[in-house]
Amino acid sequence: MKKLSMDELNRLSVDEYKASDKIPLVIVLDNIRSLNNVGSAFRTSDAFRIEKIYLCGITGTPPHRDIQKTALGATDSVEWEHTSSTMEAIDLLKANGYQICSLEQVDKSTMLQDFQPTKDGKYALVFGNEVFGVEEEVIQASDHVLEIPQFGTKHSLNISVSMGITIWDFVSKMGVLQGN
């Protein structure tokens, strides 16, 4: 076994990435305070070839040094848009046929492992503010509220961890890994 070189990884160029087919997932960042978390959202979205990121409300936007530090150039490849509120993005996405899936702990949430996205479905994954979570109005407008099971003393995960877990779960369940 040997570690692959950069050439052996066969990574897409930014232009090739922009021209490629995307996974029918959109990321919605609901008032994210940390620019490092925003950068991480770009980097993870690039890795999974996500369609687009909506940066909502107070969420910082590129170009910014702290976003770039964790995005590592993914702000050049991943399409993004800023909206003044999260509900503005939700309304737009619903009008375009996306199912809204908020990641939050609510009384009637569906555990992530129990949710089955369809292979041909279009989904928007909403990740909330580091302190307050997903806005109540957004939760009420969601088609699904998904929860990542946790077993320790803490009641939340960092948004970058939540995104990685959730996107991987969707990608694997939607058959992307099998080339479908």
Side-chain angles (χ1 to χ4, degrees):
M1 230 184 288
K2 78 171 186 71
K3 186 174 176 179
L4 296 176
S5 70
M6 292 304 282
D7 289 337
E8 291 172 314
L9 290 173
N10 296 317
R11 297 292 185 211
L12 299 175
S13 70
V14 171
D15 290 336
E16 290 169 330
Y17 179 95
K18 287 181 176 184
S20 69
D21 290 334
K22 308 296 184 295
I23 294 167
L25 288 176
V26 170
I27 302 303
V28 179
L29 301 184
D30 179 14
N31 293 295
I32 302 303
R33 297 176 312 154
S34 166
L35 297 176
N36 290 320
N37 283 338
V38 175
S40 181
F42 273 95
R43 189 169 170 185
T44 301
S45 294
D46 176 278
F48 288 103
R49 222 182 295 166
I50 299 301
E51 281 184 11
K52 187 174 186 175
I53 298 176
Y54 282 88
L55 307 169
C56 305
I58 66 165
T59 304
T61 60
H64 193 284
R65 182 176 50 116
D66 290 337
I67 293 173
Q68 288 306 113
K69 187 169 40 174
T70 49
L72 297 178
T75 56
D76 296 330
S77 55
V78 178
E79 183 180 348
W80 63 272
E81 180 177 337
H82 181 265
T83 59
S84 60
S85 74
T86 306
M87 279 308 299
E88 181 182 340
I90 297 303
D91 291 341
L92 180 67
L93 288 160
K94 279 187 165 235
N96 286 297
Y98 286 84
Q99 290 187 51
I100 310 302
C101 300
S102 288
L103 276 290
E104 189 57 87
Q105 298 166 333
V106 299
D107 60 343
K108 295 181 181 174
S109 61
T110 301
M111 291 296 154
L112 183 60
Q113 73 270 17
D114 297 330
F115 182 74
Q116 184 59 53
T118 60
K119 285 186 179 194
D120 58 348
K122 295 180 358 179
Y123 298 93
L125 304 176
V126 182
F127 298 92
N129 178 278
E130 294 90 342
V131 174
F132 303 109
V134 177
E135 295 176 42
E136 186 65 34
E137 181 181 23
V138 174
I139 291 170
Q140 297 307 316
S142 296
D143 298 297
H144 309 279
V145 180
L146 307 176
E147 183 176 341
I148 299 169
Q150 298 168 55
F151 309 104
T153 62
K154 302 301 174 200
H155 300 286
S156 68
L157 296 166
N158 181 279
I159 182 175
S160 63
V161 173
S162 295
M163 280 185 28
I165 291 169
T166 305
I167 294 169
W168 171 258
D169 185 74
F170 269 70
V171 165
S172 62
K173 288 177 179 174
M174 292 173 79
V176 173
L177 300 175
Q178 291 79 30
N180 296 331

